[in-house]
Amino acid sequence: IAPPPLAPAGLRSYYFIWVNNPMSGPYGGFPGGPAQMAGPPQKKLDPDSIPGTTQVIEDDQAKRGGQVYVTNIRGQVPPLVTTDFTVQDQGNASPRFMRCTTYSFPSTADLAKQCKVPLAAIIKPFANVPKNETPLYIVNHGEAGPIRCNRCKAYMCPYMQFMEGGRRYQCGFCSCINEVPVQYFQHLDHMGRRMDLYERPELSLGSYEFIATLDYCKNNKPPNPPAYIFMIDVSYNNIKSGLVKLICEELKTLLDRLPKEEGAETSAIKVGFVTYNKILHFYNVKSALAQPQMMVVSDVAEMFVPLLDGFLVNFQESRAVINNLLDQIPDMFAETNESETVFAPVIQAGLEALKAAECSGKLFIFQSSIPTAEAPGKLKNRDDKKLVGTEKEKTLFQPQRGVYEQLTKDCVAQGCCVDLFLFPNQYVDIATMGDVPSHTGGSIYKYSNFQVEMNGQQFLSDLRRDVEKSIGFDAIMRVRTGTGFRATDFFGAIYMNNTTDVEMAAVDCDKAVTVEFKHDDTLSEETGAVMQCALLYTTIGGQRRLRIHNLSLNCSSQLSELYKSCETDALINFFAKSAYRAMLNQPLKTVREILVNQTAHMLACYRKNCASPSAASQLILPDAMKVFPVYMNSLLKTPTLVGSTELSTDDRAFHRLLVNAMGVEETQVLLYPRLIPLHTMDVSSEAIPAPVRCSEERLSESGIFLLENGLSMFLWLGQACPPDLIQNLFNVITNVFQPTSLPVLDNAHSRKIHSIISSISQQRATSMKLLIVKQKDRSEMLFRQHLVEDKGLHGGASYMDFLCYVHREIRQLLT
């Protein structure tokens, strides 16, 4: 690494010199295909000399970990998502709710175009807040409702300037001068601030909630509390695997833990039950009944709900009847031979039930196979590996139109969210089956070749979290901005009927919406760039509320400011989502090329405009983006983008839909998994051992490593792992064994590893099944594809090769 020449004040660059000409000749089939190296053999670069993600994460934790992050400064860059910190809201939304690709916007459209750094915010409006941080305050302005700017309709917030002794205020978004309503009047102090500034959350905090008035409710009447409907596929596969019995047993206790309003004794959520194969069975579980009653609808083309009273009930009141039903369901269908199922009519039935009850809610659908029975929404197997790598590959990921499109629209209008639990043994067309869930704020879970003893716990953990998590229904979100820029594009598990309103049948603590901004004028460096995310929704108790998140950024005519306040993890979230959308309309090869081009452009612009002059053979990266290439290369190697016939189409489509709803912390660990050495850990310490770089070079034959990326978890055992360690973990003496699970044993090593696994699991949105792989076993391939610094198993370059390639592209752009 060369000692950097003097860099402009405050701007740190990352310099290194390539030992010789980084690759002459074509770079294999990159992007995508395996790289063939041409030209003279390279002198090997020391992998430690290129920027490492683990080091960046460690440095940030050392510098900012354990501290209080106060949000009172405009445009300040928060700690990384991987850093452990506490937020104190003093006028800007917590980074748990909003993160940006850069915290200093370029002041003109030309500058934005020149640097090609996307301007975006990733918003997680319902993010979980740790116990040691203050929950959101609820502001009630009574009959009058929230105070808003007359012109742009922005809600009262810390960016409003009061004037004329407090009688008027100037909107911080559109500069309109508004009268202060009489009931809201307050005198100003000698600084021009209201005397009640610190008593009012909406004047002093970045995030808070307003109680909404009837004007914000459908048909001007208060909403009913939402309902949860459990819809169980009782076809042959689900009965035979034991899944139906497992679900029914679990629901008996799980329904006691339905989410409830802060301070409420019991949950206001109503519940209902449907079973189905190619016909639907509805159940009357009214508390007055001695036995549940079944009603069958066999005409699936004209779906209706055969009973109104007794279908949606309060669990506490109907507990006896419901438990009776849950005991009976597995026996009722025990002898079934029916293997065909329907799907669209199931969603239709749930939707009709919510319409009849005039409430929003969520459908939990447990489906085993592709719906092939004669009914609306019937699907055929359209999986075709011959399309991979061709112009038509994109059609594999496009949902089949028609019935499902209309269902999505109707579900969103009713506030009906669909959560889909899939248990497939073969292709199920996830691109189509996942379409309604992924546009209604729903989640999709997939357990291939499900077996109760192998996947039961993973499924139950997911189901429990899914039922219990905090959530809002029938939501509509609008992102307002100051003058000079506006929100132009939205990515997430959302539905958009027009260009400004983001509609979500439900929004929970895991769902994030990524919003892109574009200039429509020059931004003022003095006032900065302000944004306000307003989310109108119904609580689980049936109250209509507005959740407000405000954020203020800097603006600058100096590109160095923009690069200094970039956030790599937010950037890669944006690139992943925009690439996964683009692949529906463009060949994958084009999408990959665009990603590489934009990477080179962003870094070339930095080199040209911000870095001090230096030899062309040096690759110079902005400090805040020095590990951006490793994430970008990892994104190019994801199953969705890599395009290999060895990967299942369903897995690729599933991955695509998952990422679309992810927040910054989820995409960060997905694209750079944690690889944790367990053989050298201190068993007496509470801490999780420091992760090492995600590369085969870091593994050791005598070691044990844990790898996790938020979706999968592996325990890798080296060939020469010490026998006493193996005995402590697996209770076997020999190394020649095939472990399928990790027993809980009474020794320090076993306890420590289980505690690490449990604390990682608590941080993640989905449950990860632990796969144990031994070095040189066939199953090791699954583990190896997560070592993202190495060459991709299905194509794609190593991090080192990608860096060389990008460096060459940068040099071409500069000459």
Side-chain angles (χ1 to χ4, degrees):
I1 300 184
L6 291 170
L11 193 66
R12 290 179 34 227
S13 302
Y14 200 91
Y15 290 78
F16 42 128
I17 292 184
W18 295 104
V19 186
N20 65 356
N21 175 22
M23 284 191 259
S24 43
Y27 186 86
F30 194 85
Q36 283 92 40
M37 306 270 279
Q42 266 185 292
K43 281 190 212 147
K44 202 136 175 9
L45 256 178
D46 172 15
D48 282 328
S49 71
I50 59 177
T53 301
T54 46
Q55 195 56 53
V56 168
I57 289 172
E58 236 172 89
D59 292 349
D60 198 70
Q61 177 63 37
K63 192 166 124 198
R64 309 182 74 174
Q67 297 185 1
V68 176
Y69 174 73
V70 184
T71 70
N72 57 352
I73 301 167
R74 185 178 87 189
Q76 80 178 319
V77 183
L80 297 180
V81 282
T82 43
T83 298
D84 184 29
F85 61 100
T86 305
V87 181
Q88 192 180 9
D89 183 343
Q90 287 193 11
N92 284 293
S94 157
R96 303 192 201 290
F97 297 122
M98 289 176 92
R99 281 184 175 269
C100 294
T101 51
T102 175
Y103 295 85
S104 180
F105 276 14
S107 48
T108 66
D110 283 347
L111 277 173
K113 208 156 134 195
Q114 190 184 337
C115 69
K116 286 223 178 357
V117 174
L119 308 177
I122 296 94
I123 306 174
K124 214 185 222 187
F126 262 77
N128 280 332
V129 171
K131 293 206 171 12
N132 60 345
E133 290 178 17
T134 319
L136 297 194
Y137 286 99
I138 299 168
V139 180
N140 189 351
H141 284 319
E143 296 283 291
I147 291 168
R148 307 176 66 176
C149 168
N150 287 328
R151 186 198 285 159
C152 72
K153 298 287 181 266
Y155 293 86
M156 182 51 70
C157 71
Y159 315 144
M160 304 299 191
Q161 273 314 143
F162 287 85
M163 53 205 332
E164 294 181 27
R167 286 191 301 280
R168 293 180 166 188
Y169 69 91
Q170 182 170 26
C171 173
F173 297 89
C174 70
S175 303
C176 174
I177 308 274
N178 294 271
E179 300 284 333
V180 173
V182 180
Q183 76 280 6
Y184 197 68
F185 175 78
Q186 177 61 261
H187 293 286
L188 307 184
D189 66 10
H190 66 288
M191 302 277 289
R193 291 179 311 202
R194 283 175 59 119
M195 306 290 258
D196 60 357
L197 179 70
Y198 294 109
E199 289 149 43
R200 292 193 177 271
E202 75 275 22
L203 299 180
S204 52
L205 299 178
S207 302
Y208 41 86
E209 293 201 311
F210 288 118
I211 302 272
T213 53
L214 289 179
D215 308 346
Y216 294 89
C217 304
K218 272 188 189 153
N219 311 326
N220 284 33
K221 56 184 217 202
N224 291 313
Y228 282 5
I229 306 177
F230 297 89
M231 314 183 92
I232 307 168
D233 161 1
V234 288
S235 63
Y236 178 75
N237 274 350
N238 278 0
I239 293 290
K240 187 185 70 170
S241 71
L243 176 72
V244 173
K245 193 170 174 53
L246 186 71
I247 294 171
C248 292
E249 280 305 309
E250 177 62 29
L251 288 178
K252 291 182 199 170
T253 52
L254 182 55
L255 295 177
D256 264 326
R257 303 206 295 275
L258 289 168
K260 49 181 188 271
E261 203 74 271
E262 202 69 32
E265 285 283 297
T266 59
S267 175
I269 295 173
K270 293 227 161 67
V271 292
F273 304 88
V274 172
T275 54
Y276 66 95
N277 34 50
K278 58 185 199 189
I279 57 177
L280 277 76
H281 326 104
F282 294 79
Y283 297 93
N284 184 345
V285 282
K286 203 169 161 176
S287 57
L289 295 172
Q291 281 284 338
Q293 295 170 346
M294 178 206 258
M295 295 187 168
V296 178
V297 176
S298 48
D299 181 6
V300 287
E302 294 293 324
M303 188 39 67
F304 68 100
V305 180
L307 73 161
L308 289 181
D309 189 28
F311 177 63
L312 292 178
V313 298
N314 177 304
F315 174 63
Q316 302 302 340
E317 290 166 14
S318 293
R319 178 191 295 268
V321 193
I322 289 173
N323 283 346
N324 194 334
L325 168 70
L326 294 170
D327 282 334
Q328 289 180 35
I329 287 175
D331 300 337
M332 266 192 288
F333 300 99
E335 301 305 312
T336 187
N337 287 321
E338 184 54 74
S339 61
E340 285 201 306
T341 57
V342 295
F343 181 58
V346 180
I347 299 178
Q348 189 73 50
L351 174 63
E352 295 303 329
L354 296 179
K355 276 187 185 164
E358 297 188 351
C359 68
S360 52
K362 187 193 270 203
L363 314 181
F364 295 80
I365 303 181
F366 305 92
Q367 170 102 11
S368 64
S369 58
I370 191 166
T372 52
E374 270 319 313
K378 171 184 174 177
L379 298 174
K380 56 183 191 300
N381 186 338
R382 59 185 184 125
D383 190 14
D384 186 354
K385 289 284 164 68
K386 291 198 291 296
L387 299 182
V388 173
T390 70
E391 288 281 317
K392 288 201 169 146
E393 182 173 6
K394 55 178 182 270
T395 59
L396 295 173
F397 303 101
Q398 294 165 353
Q400 299 186 38
R401 295 277 166 236
V403 181
Y404 293 104
E405 219 170 352
Q406 190 54 47
L407 266 179
T408 295
K409 224 180 184 145
D410 298 344
C411 282
V412 171
Q414 186 58 40
C416 167
C417 164
V418 178
D419 274 2
L420 178 59
F421 292 80
L422 282 167
F423 305 86
N425 295 331
Q426 53 203 36
Y427 175 78
V428 289
D429 193 357
I430 284 185
T432 303
M433 290 188 79
D435 196 43
V436 179
S438 64
H439 284 93
T440 55
S443 305
I444 308 164
Y445 302 88
K446 174 167 161 288
Y447 312 90
S448 301
N449 307 314
F450 179 83
Q451 293 171 310
V452 169
E453 50 290 343
M454 296 293 287
N455 319 77
Q457 273 321 109
Q458 181 195 8
F459 158 63
L460 290 179
S461 303
D462 282 336
L463 177 61
R464 285 168 194 155
R465 190 169 188 280
D466 201 66
V467 167
E468 296 171 30
K469 66 183 169 188
S470 58
I471 187 167
F473 287 94
D474 201 9
I476 186 157
M477 180 174 106
R478 170 89 55 105
V479 178
R480 293 182 173 82
T481 55
T483 46
F485 74 116
R486 63 194 160 86
T488 55
D489 225 336
F490 301 85
F491 307 84
I494 56 175
Y495 180 77
M496 297 203 65
N497 212 4
N498 55 36
T499 54
T500 53
D501 295 325
V502 178
E503 295 182 64
M504 293 170 278
V507 54
D508 64 46
C509 55
D510 301 321
K511 300 290 180 296
V513 180
T514 298
V515 185
E516 186 177 15
F517 301 102
K518 291 268 196 304
H519 286 74
D520 44 22
D521 207 345
T522 303
L523 298 174
S524 138
E525 297 195 30
E526 193 187 334
T527 54
V530 290
M531 55 185 79
Q532 181 180 77
C533 160
L535 179 85
L536 174 65
Y537 72 99
T538 301
T539 68
I540 42 184
Q543 192 182 54
R544 205 72 176 138
R545 281 195 205 156
L546 282 149
R547 180 170 283 217
I548 311 292
H549 297 301
N550 303 291
L551 189 61
S552 62
L553 309 177
N554 288 332
C555 295
S556 175
S557 53
Q558 303 296 316
L559 282 176
S560 55
E561 285 300 314
L562 171 135
Y563 283 102
K564 201 164 71 183
S565 45
C566 270
E567 186 179 318
T568 288
D569 299 333
L571 277 167
I572 205 68
N573 177 285
F574 172 82
F575 279 116
K577 291 188 183 186
S578 57
Y580 282 9
R581 178 186 294 174
M583 62 182 279
L584 293 181
N585 309 309
Q586 290 170 299
L588 277 181
K589 188 167 175 293
T590 313
V591 174
R592 292 193 297 260
E593 280 165 6
I594 291 170
L595 289 172
V596 178
N597 273 339
Q598 195 155 353
T599 302
H601 261 282
M602 295 192 312
L603 298 173
C605 173
Y606 174 78
R607 168 86 191 235
K608 186 176 165 191
N609 298 292
C610 311
S612 7
S614 59
S617 61
Q618 277 188 333
L619 173 60
I620 304 180
L621 304 172
D623 194 56
M625 282 171 73
K626 65 183 177 209
V627 290
F628 180 74
V630 76
Y631 284 105
M632 179 52 84
N633 188 38
S634 178
L635 172 60
L636 291 163
K637 292 188 287 190
T638 51
T640 309
L641 284 183
V642 85
S644 154
T645 50
E646 289 166 39
L647 295 164
S648 99
T649 304
D650 268 346
D651 280 349
R652 296 174 68 199
F654 177 58
H655 190 94
R656 191 187 153 267
L657 294 175
L658 283 185
V659 168
N660 195 34
M662 281 184 178
V664 179
E665 50 277 54
E666 291 85 9
T667 46
Q668 185 279 326
V669 75
L670 180 69
L671 294 171
Y672 200 90
R674 281 204 285 187
L675 181 61
I676 302 168
L678 298 179
H679 49 288
T680 51
M681 64 186 180
D682 173 2
V683 287
S684 60
S685 141
E686 288 285 289
I688 294 179
V692 294
R693 290 176 77 143
C694 228
S695 163
E696 190 186 346
E697 293 188 346
R698 307 293 155 156
L699 301 174
S700 63
E701 290 208 336
S702 58
I704 293 186
F705 290 82
L706 186 75
L707 181 143
E708 67 98 11
N709 69 352
L711 299 179
S712 320
M713 186 183 271
F714 298 88
L715 190 64
W716 182 89
L717 309 174
Q719 272 178 317
C721 192
D724 56 330
L725 194 49
I726 292 288
Q727 187 170 2
N728 278 339
L729 296 183
F730 295 99
N731 210 12
V732 292
I733 298 167
T734 159
N735 209 345
V736 191
F737 73 115
Q738 277 308 332
T740 51
S741 64
L742 187 66
V744 178
L745 302 174
D746 190 16
N747 65 63
H749 260 107
S750 181
R751 280 192 295 270
K752 174 71 182 167
I753 286 193
H754 279 285
S755 120
I756 289 173
I757 289 173
S758 139
S759 79
I760 288 174
S761 303
Q762 281 164 9
Q763 297 169 7
R764 304 292 174 225
T766 47
S767 167
M768 296 177 281
K769 178 173 173 265
L770 180 69
L771 282 173
I772 299 168
V773 297
K774 292 172 72 178
Q775 187 179 7
K776 302 276 199 296
D777 271 9
R778 270 190 61 198
S779 61
E780 201 194 10
M781 291 294 273
L782 290 168
F783 165 80
R784 281 186 185 271
Q785 63 190 16
H786 297 293
L787 298 176
V788 297
E789 291 201 16
D790 301 340
K791 227 169 158 165
L793 293 187
H794 304 290
S798 70
Y799 171 34
M800 182 80 84
D801 290 349
F802 180 69
L803 213 46
C804 294
Y805 182 73
V806 167
H807 182 35
R808 207 181 70 185
E809 291 288 293
I810 292 170
R811 287 174 67 174
Q812 271 178 347
L813 286 170
L814 293 175
T815 51

